[in-house]
Amino acid sequence: MKKSNDKKNQPSLFTRLYDKAMALYEYCTVGVWKSSKHTIGTTIIKTVSLSVRSFLDRDLQNKSTSLTYNTVLAIVPAMALVFAICRGFGFQNLLAETLRQYIPGQEKAVDTALSFVDSYLNQASQGIFVGIGLVMLLWTLISLLSNIEEAFNNIWDIKRDRTFFQKVTDYISLCLIVPILLICSSGLSIFMSTTLQEKLNLPFLTPLINIALEFSPLVMVWLAFSLSYLLIPNTKVEFKCAAISGAICAIMFQILQLLFVNGQIYVAKYNAIYGSFSFLPLLLIWLQLSWLILLFGCVLTYSLQNVFAFNYLGSVSDISRSYMRQITIAVTAIIIQRFNKGLPPMSRNEISTAYGIPVRLVGYICERLKRAGLVNFVLLKGDILGMSPAIDTEKYTIGYVFRSLDNKGDSNFIPDFNELYASMVKATSSAIELFYDAGDDVKLASLPLPTPEQINNVREGRNANTAAS
């Protein structure tokens, strides 16, 4: 009887599976970040968790929608630029035929798009329109690339954009290089498929050439994704992280390509009802999914490079003001004391890794310190930005730092506010000044800070205790 009662009191199989699933979810989203181990399993879980959280936090669905609109606006000028360069190499007919093969069953839509391109080129190269047309073409493409850079910088938590001159030079170079790469890849395919096989006449090379031709689109897409993640963000990106993300997204993009081509064949059956308009919805869906893949790859690159600098995934706005003040003083003291010791400035990633402060908080605090005139960004080796004091380090006290941060920004913009709330403003100002005055006696240069070695020893001891338990 006792055994039967024990069996009745045991949770059901569904309950046990549910509890295990919830425990696994809790570990993957919260528990794993309390561990500083660098094992493969922990790294993968942290990378996936950080990528999913960053993807959701940054509202990339709406960004992909915005980029889809920009693409539709820029598609004719972009095709006009590509065809203009192809005409110089004599490849315009090959490119048009490749485009028709790429979108089967939609020859009418392709021919209509090509007629738009011809009209655009004719208008842009005749009479008064030669200058205006070129300017509009470049402006449309630069606007699209600028929006892409803004999305990438937002993912990387980069607040600084390229200068206008850098944007113009970099984007125009990119617009000229990409068509040339397309032409070279098409020429390489023709050369491998015809010239080598006909002239060399080596049967054993045919399977190898066929395999190379099959994988060449995947390699080109991988290269395009990797270069995008490496060059577009206005920060230093590790090639290894960009290459891994590029490979994953290239495979996802090729799968999307197969679905898109097969979808064209399926949608072609409804052309009798909808005409060429049936192609448009599928094109828009393909564009948005393509942008989502590109943005996800950027998030994945960011996660791979910064996964060990993260132990806090929440929003900065959710941190208490008191705790944020403590972290701000810690980051500022690190910058000041390294300067006083004659040590080189550290980047936000280096501060995060060495002193155990989440990189997202370090970046947020350093941007605030920069706007308040408390630190300067200095260029380090590899185009990485380091943090250095902006004034005499003896002036940095807790009161001075908070006074500078709190007074930075718009104020006195409500008409008659100080007169209407004079008593409250006076009482508040007096209380805040007492807080500042009390902090003026504490200099950041003399605050005791843990060394990176001490922080590392604490981490190792915590990991040992976790493993033992």
Side-chain angles (χ1 to χ4, degrees), residues 234-461:
N234 192 25
T235 186
K236 180 68 174 180
V237 181
E238 297 179 4
F239 176 76
K240 177 180 67 175
C241 300
I244 294 174
S245 302
I248 295 173
C249 291
I251 295 173
M252 296 171 61
F253 185 75
Q254 288 299 105
I255 294 174
L256 179 64
Q257 297 288 75
L258 293 175
L259 295 176
F260 178 68
V261 172
N262 292 331
Q264 292 304 312
I265 298 174
Y266 178 79
V267 169
K269 300 177 182 178
Y270 295 91
N271 281 355
I273 302 174
Y274 297 104
S276 299
F277 183 76
S278 61
F279 167 71
L280 184 58
L282 190 60
L283 175 64
L284 294 177
I285 294 172
W286 175 77
L287 286 174
Q288 183 161 359
L289 291 178
S290 299
W291 284 122
L292 276 177
I293 291 174
L294 181 71
L295 295 175
F296 170 76
C298 185
V299 170
L300 184 59
T301 306
Y302 171 73
S303 301
L304 288 169
Q305 184 164 320
N306 297 293
V307 64
F308 295 121
F310 269 84
N311 49 24
Y312 176 75
L313 290 183
S315 173
V316 173
S317 60
D318 294 335
I319 301 175
S320 70
R321 191 171 183 82
S322 174
Y323 197 57
M324 180 60 76
R325 287 184 181 275
Q326 297 174 26
I327 302 174
T328 300
I329 291 299
V331 172
T332 311
I334 290 169
I335 297 172
I336 301 256
Q337 294 184 17
R338 286 187 62 85
F339 180 85
N340 286 343
K341 294 176 182 178
L343 298 174
M346 300 179 75
S347 67
R348 63 174 190 167
N349 285 44
E350 291 172 336
I351 293 175
S352 174
T353 303
Y355 291 92
I357 303 174
V359 66
R360 182 176 294 177
L361 295 183
V362 175
Y364 172 77
I365 290 169
C366 289
E367 289 291 341
R368 291 189 65 211
L369 294 174
K370 175 66 171 62
R371 290 197 298 269
L374 294 172
V375 302
N376 287 328
F377 293 159
V378 295
L379 195 62
L380 304 177
K381 184 178 180 180
D383 293 335
I384 299 175
L385 292 178
M387 316 301 164
S388 179
I391 58 174
D392 183 5
T393 56
E394 289 298 317
K395 294 183 179 180
Y396 286 89
T397 63
I398 291 179
Y400 181 81
V401 170
F402 289 150
R403 188 181 289 109
S404 301
L405 290 173
D406 292 346
N407 293 332
K408 182 64 178 177
D410 295 334
S411 59
N412 297 329
F413 54 85
I414 301 177
D416 304 324
F417 180 83
N418 290 337
E419 289 78 10
L420 294 173
Y421 299 90
S423 299
M424 186 208 68
V425 169
K426 183 178 180 181
T428 304
S429 300
S430 300
I432 294 176
E433 281 300 324
L434 288 175
F435 169 73
Y436 292 152
D437 293 341
D440 283 335
D441 297 330
V442 183
K443 292 188 175 182
L444 271 61
S446 60
L447 284 178
L449 289 175
T451 63
E453 292 76 16
Q454 291 173 333
I455 294 173
N456 189 53
N457 292 335
V458 171
R459 288 175 174 175
E460 291 179 352

Side-chain angles (χ1 to χ4, degrees), residues 149-158 160-161 232-234:
E149 182 191 358
E150 182 182 353
F152 277 29
N153 286 342
N154 182 53
I155 292 172
W156 279 88
D157 290 324
I158 302 299
R160 304 170 306 281
D161 292 333
I232 293 180
N234 192 25

Side-chain angles (χ1 to χ4, degrees), residues 112-168:
T112 302
L114 293 179
S115 66
F116 290 158
V117 170
D118 289 335
S119 299
Y120 193 95
L121 289 175
N122 291 333
Q123 291 295 329
S125 59
Q126 292 180 3
I128 193 173
F129 291 101
V130 63
I132 299 176
L134 182 61
V135 170
M136 290 299 297
L137 184 148
L138 293 177
W139 176 84
T140 307
L141 296 178
I142 290 174
S143 176
L144 174 62
L145 292 172
S146 181
N147 288 331
I148 297 172
E149 182 191 358
E150 182 182 353
F152 277 29
N153 286 342
N154 182 53
I155 292 172
W156 279 88
D157 290 324
I158 302 299
K159 308 301 181 184
R160 304 170 306 281
D161 292 333
R162 288 181 172 90
T163 63
F164 179 77
F165 178 75
Q166 286 178 320
K167 286 184 177 182
V168 172

Side-chain angles (χ1 to χ4, degrees), residues 61-100:
Q61 181 69 32
N62 286 337
K63 285 185 174 59
S64 67
T65 304
S66 175
L67 288 172
T68 300
Y69 168 77
N70 292 129
T71 306
V72 172
L73 183 65
I75 193 168
V76 172
M79 290 179 63
L81 180 63
V82 172
F83 271 87
I85 296 176
C86 287
R87 283 180 180 178
F89 289 89
F91 279 101
Q92 69 274 14
N93 294 331
L94 174 62
L95 187 60
E97 187 61 31
T98 303
L99 194 60
R100 292 188 181 92

